Amino acid sequence: MPSIVIRDVPEDVHRTLASRAAAEGQSLQQYMLAMATQSAGRRTQREVLDEIRRRARTFPPISTEDILADLRAGRDRLD
């Protein structure tokens, strides 16, 4: 299994993380692995925006005039 090494961690950051790990009954390594696993399981803002852009390309274009006409008519295009 691969390993990750983080160098030059400020003392106060190390102390805080070690304290939190101890409060959870975990070693610092276990705590950091859980944090990294949780982070990797969430999509980044860039990933979400990329997906929105990709999906948006599948919709037909809507003109400004069509949008304004729908607004004036009180219509929702999703109806």
Side-chain angles (χ1 to χ4, degrees), residues 38-57:
Q38 182 181 28
S39 178
R42 290 190 307 261
R43 294 189 305 170
T44 65
Q45 185 178 32
R46 178 177 299 271
E47 290 167 336
V48 171
L49 290 174
D50 286 346
E51 170 138 358
I52 290 169
R53 288 183 187 104
R54 183 185 59 74
R55 286 185 181 194
R57 288 192 296 269

Side-chain angles (χ1 to χ4, degrees), residues 11-14 19 23-25 27-28 30-31 34 40 42 47 52 54 56 59 67 69-71 75 78:
E11 280 294 325
D12 60 328
V13 172
H14 183 273
S19 175
E24 295 293 324
S27 68
L28 182 55
Q30 290 170 320
Y31 184 78
R42 290 190 307 261
E47 290 167 336
I52 290 169
R54 183 185 59 74
F59 291 101
I67 294 170
D70 284 349
L71 287 172
R75 292 190 305 243
L78 299 178

Side-chain angles (χ1 to χ4, degrees), residues 4-5 25 34 40-41 55:
I4 297 173
V5 176
R55 286 185 181 194

Side-chain angles (χ1 to χ4, degrees), residues 15-36:
R15 196 170 28 256
T16 298
L17 292 171
S19 175
R20 289 177 183 170
E24 295 293 324
Q26 297 176 324
S27 68
L28 182 55
Q29 180 176 333
Q30 290 170 320
Y31 184 78
M32 294 304 300
L33 177 58
M35 286 183 62

